mmCIF file of all heavy atoms in Angstrom:
data_model
loop_
_atom_site.group_PDB
_atom_site.id
_atom_site.type_symbol
_atom_site.label_atom_id
_atom_site.label_comp_id
_atom_site.label_asym_id
_atom_site.label_seq_id
_atom_site.Cartn_x
_atom_site.Cartn_y
_atom_site.Cartn_z
ATOM 1 N N SER A 20 60.173 81.838 62.841
ATOM 2 C CA SER A 20 59.380 81.493 61.665
ATOM 3 C C SER A 20 58.647 82.718 61.124
ATOM 4 O O SER A 20 58.513 82.889 59.913
ATOM 5 C CB SER A 20 58.383 80.386 62.023
ATOM 6 O OG SER A 20 57.754 79.905 60.872
ATOM 7 N N ILE A 24 59.104 85.200 56.950
ATOM 8 C CA ILE A 24 58.273 85.808 55.890
ATOM 9 C C ILE A 24 59.171 86.472 54.848
ATOM 10 O O ILE A 24 58.833 86.612 53.689
ATOM 11 C CB ILE A 24 57.283 86.837 56.509
ATOM 12 C CG1 ILE A 24 56.165 86.108 57.250
ATOM 13 C CG2 ILE A 24 56.679 87.723 55.445
ATOM 14 C CD1 ILE A 24 55.174 87.031 57.930
ATOM 15 N N ARG A 27 58.520 89.214 51.867
ATOM 16 C CA ARG A 27 57.092 89.564 51.874
ATOM 17 C C ARG A 27 56.779 90.585 52.971
ATOM 18 O O ARG A 27 55.737 91.221 52.962
ATOM 19 C CB ARG A 27 56.245 88.310 52.058
ATOM 20 C CG ARG A 27 56.195 87.441 50.811
ATOM 21 C CD ARG A 27 55.473 86.154 51.046
ATOM 22 N NE ARG A 27 56.206 85.293 51.955
ATOM 23 C CZ ARG A 27 55.805 84.083 52.354
ATOM 24 N NH1 ARG A 27 54.663 83.606 51.916
ATOM 25 N NH2 ARG A 27 56.522 83.367 53.184
ATOM 26 N N LEU A 145 42.406 83.330 67.093
ATOM 27 C CA LEU A 145 42.880 82.434 66.029
ATOM 28 C C LEU A 145 44.089 81.656 66.534
ATOM 29 O O LEU A 145 44.974 82.227 67.184
ATOM 30 C CB LEU A 145 43.286 83.260 64.796
ATOM 31 C CG LEU A 145 43.927 82.490 63.636
ATOM 32 C CD1 LEU A 145 42.954 81.489 63.022
ATOM 33 C CD2 LEU A 145 44.446 83.453 62.563
ATOM 34 N N ILE A 147 47.346 79.366 65.344
ATOM 35 C CA ILE A 147 48.194 78.926 64.236
ATOM 36 C C ILE A 147 49.121 77.857 64.812
ATOM 37 O O ILE A 147 50.213 78.155 65.297
ATOM 38 C CB ILE A 147 49.002 80.095 63.632
ATOM 39 C CG1 ILE A 147 48.074 81.228 63.189
ATOM 40 C CG2 ILE A 147 49.829 79.601 62.456
ATOM 41 C CD1 ILE A 147 48.787 82.403 62.533
ATOM 42 N N PRO A 148 48.693 76.578 64.784
ATOM 43 C CA PRO A 148 49.525 75.531 65.381
ATOM 44 C C PRO A 148 50.730 75.192 64.518
ATOM 45 O O PRO A 148 50.866 75.661 63.396
ATOM 46 C CB PRO A 148 48.553 74.350 65.497
ATOM 47 C CG PRO A 148 47.523 74.593 64.461
ATOM 48 C CD PRO A 148 47.436 76.072 64.259
ATOM 49 N N PRO A 152 54.979 76.985 63.357
ATOM 50 C CA PRO A 152 54.131 77.153 62.175
ATOM 51 C C PRO A 152 54.975 77.655 61.007
ATOM 52 O O PRO A 152 56.021 78.271 61.209
ATOM 53 C CB PRO A 152 53.125 78.243 62.588
ATOM 54 C CG PRO A 152 53.276 78.403 64.047
ATOM 55 C CD PRO A 152 54.647 77.954 64.410
ATOM 56 N N ARG A 153 54.490 77.387 59.808
ATOM 57 C CA ARG A 153 55.220 77.864 58.631
ATOM 58 C C ARG A 153 55.053 79.373 58.466
ATOM 59 O O ARG A 153 54.013 79.934 58.824
ATOM 60 C CB ARG A 153 54.683 77.155 57.386
ATOM 61 C CG ARG A 153 54.993 75.676 57.386
ATOM 62 C CD ARG A 153 54.135 74.922 56.420
ATOM 63 N NE ARG A 153 54.113 75.516 55.078
ATOM 64 C CZ ARG A 153 53.306 75.105 54.109
ATOM 65 N NH1 ARG A 153 52.445 74.132 54.328
ATOM 66 N NH2 ARG A 153 53.344 75.675 52.936
ATOM 67 N N ALA A 154 56.065 80.008 57.898
ATOM 68 C CA ALA A 154 55.978 81.447 57.627
ATOM 69 C C ALA A 154 54.771 81.752 56.751
ATOM 70 O O ALA A 154 54.122 82.794 56.901
ATOM 71 C CB ALA A 154 57.263 81.926 56.969
ATOM 72 N N ASP A 155 54.445 80.817 55.841
ATOM 73 C CA ASP A 155 53.283 81.014 54.970
ATOM 74 C C ASP A 155 51.998 81.159 55.784
ATOM 75 O O ASP A 155 51.079 81.881 55.391
ATOM 76 C CB ASP A 155 53.120 79.830 54.017
ATOM 77 C CG ASP A 155 54.215 79.778 52.976
ATOM 78 O OD1 ASP A 155 54.950 80.774 52.838
ATOM 79 O OD2 ASP A 155 54.328 78.735 52.306
ATOM 80 N N ALA A 156 51.925 80.451 56.913
ATOM 81 C CA ALA A 156 50.733 80.536 57.756
ATOM 82 C C ALA A 156 50.631 81.918 58.406
ATOM 83 O O ALA A 156 49.545 82.501 58.487
ATOM 84 C CB ALA A 156 50.771 79.442 58.828
ATOM 85 N N PHE A 157 51.766 82.434 58.869
ATOM 86 C CA PHE A 157 51.758 83.797 59.420
ATOM 87 C C PHE A 157 51.311 84.793 58.353
ATOM 88 O O PHE A 157 50.494 85.682 58.609
ATOM 89 C CB PHE A 157 53.159 84.191 59.904
ATOM 90 C CG PHE A 157 53.569 83.569 61.197
ATOM 91 C CD1 PHE A 157 54.448 82.513 61.222
ATOM 92 C CD2 PHE A 157 53.085 84.054 62.394
ATOM 93 C CE1 PHE A 157 54.844 81.941 62.414
ATOM 94 C CE2 PHE A 157 53.464 83.496 63.595
ATOM 95 C CZ PHE A 157 54.355 82.433 63.606
ATOM 96 N N PHE A 158 51.891 84.649 57.166
ATOM 97 C CA PHE A 158 51.594 85.598 56.095
ATOM 98 C C PHE A 158 50.121 85.541 55.717
ATOM 99 O O PHE A 158 49.471 86.573 55.538
ATOM 100 C CB PHE A 158 52.475 85.301 54.877
ATOM 101 C CG PHE A 158 52.354 86.336 53.804
ATOM 102 C CD1 PHE A 158 52.881 87.608 53.994
ATOM 103 C CD2 PHE A 158 51.694 86.057 52.613
ATOM 104 C CE1 PHE A 158 52.760 88.580 53.005
ATOM 105 C CE2 PHE A 158 51.568 87.018 51.625
ATOM 106 C CZ PHE A 158 52.105 88.281 51.822
ATOM 107 N N TYR A 159 49.590 84.329 55.636
ATOM 108 C CA TYR A 159 48.169 84.171 55.311
ATOM 109 C C TYR A 159 47.306 84.874 56.358
ATOM 110 O O TYR A 159 46.388 85.630 56.024
ATOM 111 C CB TYR A 159 47.817 82.684 55.247
ATOM 112 C CG TYR A 159 46.326 82.422 55.193
ATOM 113 C CD1 TYR A 159 45.639 82.497 53.989
ATOM 114 C CD2 TYR A 159 45.614 82.124 56.349
ATOM 115 C CE1 TYR A 159 44.270 82.280 53.936
ATOM 116 C CE2 TYR A 159 44.236 81.906 56.305
ATOM 117 C CZ TYR A 159 43.577 81.987 55.100
ATOM 118 O OH TYR A 159 42.217 81.782 55.065
ATOM 119 N N ALA A 160 47.594 84.603 57.639
ATOM 120 C CA ALA A 160 46.770 85.177 58.706
ATOM 121 C C ALA A 160 46.834 86.703 58.685
ATOM 122 O O ALA A 160 45.802 87.379 58.793
ATOM 123 C CB ALA A 160 47.237 84.647 60.062
ATOM 124 N N LEU A 161 48.017 87.234 58.510
ATOM 125 C CA LEU A 161 48.149 88.700 58.513
ATOM 126 C C LEU A 161 47.446 89.323 57.312
ATOM 127 O O LEU A 161 46.769 90.347 57.447
ATOM 128 C CB LEU A 161 49.633 89.082 58.529
ATOM 129 C CG LEU A 161 50.327 88.886 59.875
ATOM 130 C CD1 LEU A 161 51.829 89.116 59.753
ATOM 131 C CD2 LEU A 161 49.743 89.828 60.933
ATOM 132 N N THR A 162 47.575 88.729 56.137
ATOM 133 C CA THR A 162 46.923 89.320 54.967
ATOM 134 C C THR A 162 45.397 89.213 55.071
ATOM 135 O O THR A 162 44.675 90.116 54.639
ATOM 136 C CB THR A 162 47.417 88.676 53.654
ATOM 137 O OG1 THR A 162 47.353 87.265 53.773
ATOM 138 C CG2 THR A 162 48.835 89.081 53.350
ATOM 139 N N LEU A 173 43.022 77.756 59.657
ATOM 140 C CA LEU A 173 43.907 77.895 58.512
ATOM 141 C C LEU A 173 43.463 76.950 57.399
ATOM 142 O O LEU A 173 42.904 75.886 57.683
ATOM 143 C CB LEU A 173 45.335 77.521 58.902
ATOM 144 C CG LEU A 173 46.062 78.387 59.912
ATOM 145 C CD1 LEU A 173 47.417 77.775 60.218
ATOM 146 C CD2 LEU A 173 46.221 79.796 59.387
ATOM 147 N N PRO A 174 43.731 77.286 56.145
ATOM 148 C CA PRO A 174 43.523 76.310 55.071
ATOM 149 C C PRO A 174 44.405 75.080 55.336
ATOM 150 O O PRO A 174 45.517 75.223 55.856
ATOM 151 C CB PRO A 174 43.998 77.058 53.820
ATOM 152 C CG PRO A 174 44.007 78.499 54.192
ATOM 153 C CD PRO A 174 44.243 78.578 55.662
ATOM 154 N N LEU A 177 48.209 74.866 54.855
ATOM 155 C CA LEU A 177 49.114 75.684 55.665
ATOM 156 C C LEU A 177 49.375 75.091 57.051
ATOM 157 O O LEU A 177 50.169 75.626 57.814
ATOM 158 C CB LEU A 177 48.548 77.108 55.820
ATOM 159 C CG LEU A 177 48.518 77.947 54.540
ATOM 160 C CD1 LEU A 177 47.944 79.325 54.822
ATOM 161 C CD2 LEU A 177 49.917 78.071 53.950
ATOM 162 N N PHE A 178 48.703 74.002 57.364
ATOM 163 C CA PHE A 178 48.939 73.366 58.666
ATOM 164 C C PHE A 178 50.311 72.691 58.667
ATOM 165 O O PHE A 178 50.759 72.166 57.652
ATOM 166 C CB PHE A 178 47.869 72.305 58.952
ATOM 167 C CG PHE A 178 46.684 72.867 59.682
ATOM 168 C CD1 PHE A 178 45.516 73.183 59.020
ATOM 169 C CD2 PHE A 178 46.754 73.079 61.063
ATOM 170 C CE1 PHE A 178 44.435 73.712 59.681
ATOM 171 C CE2 PHE A 178 45.664 73.598 61.740
ATOM 172 C CZ PHE A 178 44.499 73.913 61.060
ATOM 173 N N THR A 179 50.937 72.708 59.817
ATOM 174 C CA THR A 179 52.170 71.959 60.009
ATOM 175 C C THR A 179 51.853 70.813 60.973
ATOM 176 O O THR A 179 51.338 71.056 62.061
ATOM 177 C CB THR A 179 53.265 72.842 60.644
ATOM 178 O OG1 THR A 179 53.476 73.967 59.802
ATOM 179 C CG2 THR A 179 54.561 72.071 60.815
#
Side-chain angles (χ1 to χ4, degrees):
S20 189
I24 287 178
R27 286 174 292 180
L145 175 64
I147 304 182
R153 293 162 50 188
D155 290 347
F157 284 103
F158 187 71
Y159 168 82
L161 285 173
T162 50
L173 295 176
L177 292 180
F178 270 100
T179 302

